[in-house]
Amino acid sequence: MGTLLRAALRRLPTPRRHRCPLPAAASRPLGSGAGAQGGKENPSPSLRKDRADTVIIGGGCVGVSLAYHLAKAGLKDVILLEKSELTAGSTWHACCYLTSKKGFREMSNSGDTKTCNLTSAGLTTYFHPGINLKKIHAYSIKLYEKLEEETGQAVGFHQPGSIRIASTPTRVDEFKYQMTRAGWHPTEQYLITPEKVQELFPLLNMDMVLAGLYNPGDGHIDPYSLTMALAAGARKHGAQLNYPVQVTNLNPRSDGTWEVETPLGVIQAKRIVNTAGFWAREIGKMIGLQHPLIPVHHQYVVTATIPEVKALKRELPVIRDLEGSYYLRQERDGLLFGPYESEKKMKLQDSWVTNGVPPGFGKELFESDLDRIMEHIEAAMEMVPVLKQADIINTIAGPITYSPDILPMVGPHQGVRNYWVAIGFGYGIIHAGGIGKYLSDWILEGEPPFDLIELDPNRYGKWTTTEYTAAKARESYGFNNIVGYPKEERFAGRPTERAGALYDLLKSKCSMGFHAGWEQPHWFYKPGDETGYKPSFRRTNWFDPVGREYKQVMEKVGVIDLSPFGKFKVKGTDSVKLLDHLFANVVPKVGTTNISHMLTPKGKVYAELTVSQLYPGEFMLITGSGSELHDLRWIEEEIVRGGYKVEIENVTDEMGVLGVAGPYARQVLQKLTAEDLSDVSFKFLQSKHLKLSDIAVTAIRISYTGELGWELYHRKEDSVALYSAIMEAGQKEGIDNFGTYALNALRLEKGFRAWGAEMNCDTNPLEAGLEYFVKLNKPADFIGKQTLKKIKEKGLKRRLVYLTLETDDVDPEGNESVWHNGKVIGNTTSGSFSYSAQRSLAFAYVPTELGKVGQKLEVELLGKNYSATVIQEPLVLTEPTRMRLQRKGESPKI
């Protein structure tokens, strides 16, 4: 054992809650404007104003960034309120460690004044495994690079780059997977050889390194200095930062404004933004919201000087040993590393959820517990052998706030007017700059500047209990460095109370997927199948069973549980007028259904819904499971803004939905009802109220499979009886189940787009090929109409194309790079294996000049470019189209 390990085994007598005061040497003075030097920063515990456009609650780096961006963009009357000091909270934990001249052991028991050297984990990286957050990371880094020049405040920004280490073949696959997802983004990322890894970081044990994922420009920043620089910029542009000023109550007014109560008086605000870090739950509770957040303990370790590090001529890049589950970077002439323990070993500060954050907690730390991170210390010594002879001079343990899925919650909150959040940041330093800009743009322009649906605070609902939040936070923390597979599923906290009426009946027969609290079958088992969740970057255990389900729907009849759909009822005097303004399509007539899109003022596709007029002036709106409250908020805001006399009811949890599809669908359902289901009596896109086996349903003749089918909406308590009746009635026809994986393959072959993939807040409906659903000539001035007319007149720069690929054991899934003549020219949006064509199929955005049928392109999958061809869509005609062609005497293709 090295001296570092021996030091780690000692019980360090750190107090449980130790306040970490800022010394004069570390305090960077801040005046009223950029570049203020000298003196001590002065708190401003006075309000000075009793009215504001925006009140930001919380003075960590995220809140201060938002104040900076709003003020810089010209918004007047921006006020930030901080109960303690700027950076107190998670921002402070990122930047503080304790030491003294006498050494750690003496320091803890001596009466010496302790100093606080501002060492931070403060990591910054261009990398993110998702797509949209790459933009947030990139903006943050570019902002931090120029912030010192703009404000005159040093920010302590180091950019030695970073390397993620692959030490298993699966990790190499993951890096190749991430390379194709990064290729169509502007930031640099490289898959590098072990030799290049060693050149960049010569202290590694190269026996463990197979490859590296390298991001130049990555590094670390001093969070305290960053926040102070943003504060200087915010003040320079006119924002008012008040502290210590505690918010004691929030009162919503009937006109949508807010009264923000403080001990110094009341501020009337047009909107409020909760950026309160681990106090965010307390702010939410003031207005009856239970934000699903929980603090976790995170520790990082700092070593003394290491001779081999001191001898280096340049700063080491940050490394992330993914198998060891820790990050490590150079700190002066030593090293700093922070592990992520397993979900069994990590620690939650769950008492704060039940009892609230202790009054006055701010710049305090938790007691360190090196036993929890011992295996990671050992892994670090194995990967970086010089650590074996190093001394730990400190271990920092402090709170970081986690949401259930580790991603922050950013944007306006459904159900509460003009209440915005930017909370739950597990990585607040790298997110702060980009989120401040993103939210500022959204507030000022009335729509999100780009797609960031994964951060929507409305992705959670009443089903997100405290128990669920705790279980998921444990899992998310422990899974920080696990392999990120396509179609990933995580199982902690499941099933929720929302699981679905068919869950108990089907759970042993299929592999379930999680959708906004619901459990929905992905694919079903048969004897001989390899069951369970077996993730892979290549075709895996579900590939053949999904083909079997595909064939079931194409040749016989299948049943699918669609209950996770979001479902709204809209009725009232102005219901038609409202929907005519909200949607780009026409309002469907009574008894009919259509596909409609809500657009933003800039002409982006905010949502796609199925709209049915059930009775005169009474509508049912259906959206995807992940869009339920996202879409509801948009509609509710428009109702208020336009003063429409309508009622909207969210009936998502009260209704179940079954889909029945395939050539025998009519034959099976007809056995259960006296209603005539013939093509003459029940046409495509019609809706009717009827009874199936004496169970009341609203039946819509529509199916995302593109085959003959119905969606059957019913009371959730009738789901089991209805499902059982349908399965019994279809025995002769060979009825069987199918899941969402087969549904995806079926919809892609029909050329059906999916919201969140082919269309979102990054795309307009014209480039997405949705012209059929956009009625620019309808009288109503729907949202985005005028912008779309200009876009159409100007012409498109890119368009969605339909590709077939020649692959081997891997299929596209979306977000892969598309190549032409040695350059990345676009990206896929979704993909699947086509079980009819026996080849891969994908949608992709490419420049218009490369979108002609027959155009040869390439799609990058796992480090290899596969040939692709633009084809005429769809690959398989829909059942209504085939029937229409047959009636005309033509021979349709299947």
Side-chain angles (χ1 to χ4, degrees), residues 843-889:
F843 276 120
Y845 277 106
V846 301
T848 51
E849 63 270 20
L850 296 177
K852 295 182 177 64
V853 172
Q855 176 69 53
K856 299 296 183 181
L857 302 168
E858 295 176 319
V859 174
E860 181 185 347
L861 302 173
L862 292 185
K864 179 180 177 181
N865 284 12
Y866 292 90
S867 61
T869 305
V870 177
I871 66 168
Q872 183 69 45
E873 59 175 285
L875 185 66
V876 178
L877 294 175
T878 64
E879 183 270 344
T881 303
R882 298 198 303 263
M883 294 303 101
R884 187 169 64 250
L885 291 175
Q886 280 185 3
R887 287 193 292 269
K888 292 181 178 179

Side-chain angles (χ1 to χ4, degrees), residues 287-602:
I287 56 175
L289 295 177
Q290 296 289 333
H291 292 309
L293 302 170
I294 193 166
V296 303
H297 287 229
H298 181 62
Q299 302 183 90
Y300 59 88
V301 173
V302 186
T303 78
T305 294
I306 299 173
E308 293 87 346
V309 175
K310 187 174 183 178
L312 295 169
K313 294 190 177 358
R314 64 172 183 236
E315 184 176 354
L316 292 166
V318 179
I319 66 164
R320 291 173 174 83
D321 178 3
L322 303 178
E323 302 308 318
S325 192
Y326 63 87
Y327 55 82
L328 180 147
R329 69 165 182 81
Q330 185 172 338
E331 173 52 38
R332 299 182 177 88
D333 293 328
L335 296 171
L336 176 156
F337 67 98
Y340 290 97
E341 310 96 288
S342 70
E343 59 183 307
K344 293 181 179 179
K345 289 188 176 181
M346 64 85 66
K347 186 175 181 180
L348 299 174
Q349 192 64 26
D350 44 14
S351 65
W352 289 10
V353 176
T354 53
N355 303 325
V357 182
F361 189 97
K363 294 183 176 180
E364 286 79 16
L365 299 172
F366 296 139
E367 182 180 8
S368 60
D369 181 358
L370 291 172
D371 284 342
R372 291 209 319 267
I373 61 174
M374 186 52 58
E375 64 182 280
H376 305 283
I377 292 174
E378 292 172 344
M381 289 193 300
E382 184 71 17
M383 180 63 78
V384 188
V386 297
L387 285 172
K388 294 177 181 178
Q389 301 306 316
D391 284 313
I392 292 177
I393 60 171
N394 220 321
T395 304
I396 306 302
I400 297 178
T401 306
Y402 263 44
S403 70
D405 63 8
I406 208 173
L407 296 176
M409 301 164 65
V410 177
H413 205 287
Q414 186 272 329
V416 189
R417 291 171 63 190
N418 298 317
Y419 174 74
W420 297 59
V421 297
I423 57 180
F425 288 88
Y427 311 101
I429 307 305
I430 185 56
H431 288 156
I435 290 298
K437 172 65 171 171
Y438 177 84
L439 266 187
S440 172
D441 287 352
W442 193 347
I443 287 170
L444 294 172
E445 298 176 14
E447 64 179 273
F450 54 86
D451 180 39
L452 205 54
I453 184 68
E454 59 267 50
L455 303 195
D456 184 7
N458 306 300
R459 67 187 185 272
Y460 299 117
K462 294 177 181 178
W463 54 270
T464 316
T465 63
T466 300
E467 293 75 20
Y468 172 83
T469 300
K472 296 305 286 188
R474 280 189 173 281
E475 178 185 59
S476 294
Y477 186 88
F479 282 12
N480 252 285
N481 292 305
I482 67 163
V483 176
Y485 289 104
K487 296 180 171 60
E488 183 183 63
E489 287 291 322
R490 297 186 176 186
F491 297 96
R494 297 169 55 182
T496 71
E497 61 189 32
R498 196 186 208 187
L502 296 180
Y503 174 72
D504 288 334
L505 186 64
L506 299 179
K507 63 183 179 182
S508 64
K509 302 177 182 179
C510 65
S511 180
M512 289 282 187
F514 186 79
H515 300 272
W518 300 83
E519 299 287 340
Q520 186 175 29
H522 277 169
W523 62 279
F524 284 83
Y525 309 144
K526 295 290 184 185
D529 290 341
E530 182 184 6
T531 62
Y533 173 63
K534 310 286 184 183
S536 174
F537 294 103
R538 294 172 169 80
R539 292 171 188 165
T540 182
N541 60 330
W542 53 261
F543 182 77
D544 288 331
V546 170
R548 182 176 63 220
E549 293 173 21
Y550 168 91
K551 186 176 181 181
Q552 174 73 33
V553 175
M554 291 297 292
E555 297 181 0
K556 296 180 181 178
V557 57
V559 178
I560 184 170
D561 183 12
L562 300 173
S563 298
F565 282 164
K567 319 164 193 83
F568 317 130
K569 294 284 185 69
V570 176
K571 63 181 179 179
T573 307
D574 293 337
S575 59
V576 173
K577 184 180 176 183
L578 167 69
L579 300 188
D580 213 14
H581 179 63
L582 274 173
F583 293 113
N585 206 344
V586 296
V587 177
K589 297 177 181 178
V590 176
T592 66
T593 297
N594 69 17
I595 305 299
S596 294
H597 300 86
M598 295 194 297
L599 308 182
T600 70
K602 292 185 177 180

